[in-house]
Amino acid sequence: MLKVSPAEGYPPEEGCYLRGNDYSPVAVVVILRWEREKTPPSIEQLVRVGVETGAALSGTLQTENVGLEKVICNIVANPNIRYLVVCGPETPGHLVGDAILALKANGVDQQKRIIGTSAPTPYLYNVPREFIDRFRDQVTVIDLVDEGSPEVLREAIQACYQESPTPFRNYLLSDPGAYPEPPLSGRITWRVRNPFTEPKDDEARARVEKARQLSERIKKMVEQRKCQPEQKTP
């Protein structure tokens, strides 16, 4: 069974997660519907169970945009990860679980909006489309949304480790080995925080950037003129 080394600098994105076995075929996302500092012990336990049972990465996720983009970057940087277990109570404000399931099933549209999700701001502006496509091809998402049983999480992770196909719920799981393409290394770029105000495609983004550069040049010209000494008339 083929296993490979993750990308240099893996995992590229920081976050509230624990790092386990880099050669594991599974990562765990525990949905966090509370403020970070108010994380319940039961959620922290699920994160620990994930990494103690053998997950490559196990951590919490709060948002369906920047937070999910960080998850994508970390997963595509490690081709050994072939499953993503999503568990914990769904967050009513962000619908993180719904967004992940829709991303896997449907992908994104031309504006990088996740297709088919009810999440309010499911835009993945900060990662290349190549990363999104790789994420969808590389991992199978195991849906345990609205479940928080440590025993069920252990069972799911252990099934992902098996050499022979092993039934778990409606899935047939086993470790297929590393994804057959090199890891993708990169971090999120624009760090867009308000997707509704952002340009909706690369062409619009280029126009915005051109306007910004023009504005900067005009600003510098005005500042230079202010610094020039006044010419006195005789």
Side-chain angles (χ1 to χ4, degrees):
M1 183 183 301
L2 176 65
K3 295 289 182 178
V4 299
S5 297
E8 185 177 353
Y10 163 85
E13 286 291 343
E14 297 178 351
C16 293
Y17 60 80
L18 300 176
R19 180 177 178 179
N21 178 5
D22 289 352
Y23 299 96
S24 167
V26 58
V28 175
V29 159
V30 183
I31 299 169
L32 182 61
R33 59 185 296 175
W34 297 270
E35 295 177 10
R36 185 75 60 190
E37 60 273 13
K38 297 179 181 178
T39 303
S42 60
I43 297 298
E44 295 177 346
Q45 181 189 14
L46 283 177
V47 172
R48 290 194 302 272
V49 166
V51 77
E52 289 169 0
T53 309
L57 299 169
S58 181
T60 56
L61 177 61
Q62 285 182 301
T63 62
E64 76 279 31
N65 37 63
V66 174
L68 179 52
E69 288 169 329
K70 291 184 177 184
V71 171
I72 291 171
C73 286
N74 286 343
I75 286 179
V76 301
N78 184 351
N80 299 306
I81 300 174
R82 305 305 304 276
Y83 297 100
L84 179 63
V85 179
V86 184
C87 62
E90 180 68 287
T91 171
H94 291 281
L95 295 177
V96 169
D98 181 83
I100 295 174
L101 294 170
L103 175 62
K104 171 60 180 177
N106 308 315
V108 296
D109 62 18
Q110 293 300 313
Q111 286 73 45
K112 288 189 176 179
R113 185 188 191 281
I114 298 173
I115 300 169
T117 180
S118 299
T121 53
Y123 294 92
L124 305 180
Y125 285 135
N126 301 297
V127 290
R129 187 173 293 270
E130 179 187 11
F131 281 35
I132 298 170
D133 293 341
R134 167 66 69 83
F135 173 83
R136 297 182 63 226
D137 288 341
Q138 180 175 321
V139 299
T140 295
V141 178
I142 300 175
D143 178 9
L144 295 180
V145 177
D146 283 327
E147 296 194 49
S149 166
E151 291 73 25
V152 172
L153 179 57
R154 289 191 189 97
E155 185 181 352
I157 294 171
Q158 289 167 356
C160 295
Y161 261 98
Q162 303 307 308
E163 293 186 10
S164 300
T166 302
F168 171 78
R169 301 284 179 88
N170 296 324
Y171 305 92
L172 200 59
L173 308 176
S174 63
D175 185 354
Y179 187 79
E181 296 291 339
L184 297 177
S185 181
R187 304 185 66 182
I188 63 176
T189 52
W190 279 45
R191 297 184 181 273
V192 172
R193 300 294 180 177
N194 188 0
F196 291 122
T197 65
E198 293 298 321
K200 299 304 183 184
D201 53 38
D202 291 340
E203 183 178 349
R205 184 172 292 181
R207 290 197 299 268
V208 170
E209 177 62 17
K210 185 176 181 180
R212 186 193 65 79
Q213 293 176 359
L214 177 60
S215 176
E216 287 294 323
R217 289 198 298 270
I218 293 173
K219 182 179 179 181
K220 287 180 180 179
M221 290 174 59
V222 171
E223 290 176 349
Q224 289 173 353
R225 289 178 179 176
K226 287 181 178 179
C227 293
Q228 290 178 354
E230 294 183 4
Q231 297 291 333
K232 295 184 177 180
T233 56

